[in-house]
């Protein structure tokens, strides 16, 4: 992976970490029947951030695998909620993550950066 791409990817993960880990209480807090799925979603993103922070930017296959795993977790969480808006948001993010995983597997981090930047707000709207 080229240095600039690696640096951009690392910056995107840092942004996700800040959004989910530090500011996530209001963004992925949830309420009512969605509270557990929202909490589990937040945990899935926290685990993803922890995992990818240990992966070298020079290993795009590992980034791809971690991102695909996150997408799978979001699909699973979508199946656990009865809230239509939350289900739709989780399913849509899983699709975006899978597309980004394909690109990042070839060394192109731009799509993953976009998804990572937008995901907390998109899912957060459904959890509020």
């Amino acid at each position: 992976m080229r240095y600039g791409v690696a640096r951009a990817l690392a910056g995107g993960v840092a942004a996700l970490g800040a959004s989910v880990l530090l500011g996530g209480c209001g963004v992925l807090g949830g309420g009512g029947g969605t509270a557990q799925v929202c909490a589990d979603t937040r945990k899935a993103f926290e685990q993803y951030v922890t995992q990818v922070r240990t992966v070298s930017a020079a290993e795009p296959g590992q980034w791809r695998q971690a991102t695909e795993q996150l997408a799978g977790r979001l699909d699973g969480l979508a199946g656990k909620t009865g809230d239509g808006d939350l289900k739709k948001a989780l399913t849509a993010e899983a699709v975006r993550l899978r597309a980004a995983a394909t690109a990042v597997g070839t060394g192109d981090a731009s799509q993953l950066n976009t998804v990572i930047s937008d995901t907390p707000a998109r899912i957060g709207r459904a959890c509020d």
Side-chain angles (χ1 to χ4, degrees):
M1 208 183 277
R2 290 169 292 168
Y3 177 72
V5 174
R7 194 168 70 183
L9 190 54
V13 170
L16 176 64
S19 296
V20 174
L21 298 176
L22 301 177
C25 293
V27 175
L28 295 176
T34 66
Q36 186 61 50
V37 171
C38 289
D40 290 348
T41 300
R42 179 179 177 189
K43 184 176 180 179
F45 276 98
E46 289 172 349
Q47 290 170 342
Y48 174 76
V49 169
T50 299
Q51 181 181 6
V52 296
R53 282 187 175 157
T54 66
V55 175
S56 167
E59 298 292 334
Q62 290 182 22
W63 282 85
R64 179 181 182 159
Q65 181 181 12
T67 305
E68 287 173 343
Q69 288 172 350
L70 177 59
R73 288 187 71 185
L74 294 185
D75 278 335
L77 289 165
K80 291 182 178 182
T81 184
D83 182 301
D85 289 338
L86 180 56
K87 183 175 189 158
K88 183 178 176 180
L90 290 170
T91 301
E93 291 310 306
V95 168
R96 287 182 188 91
L97 283 165
R98 281 194 181 87
T102 299
V104 81
T106 66
D108 178 3
S110 61
Q111 192 171 2
L112 180 59
N113 281 334
T114 300
V115 172
I116 284 174
S117 296
D118 297 344
T119 294
R122 289 179 198 214
I123 294 176
R125 281 191 292 272
C127 283
D128 284 340

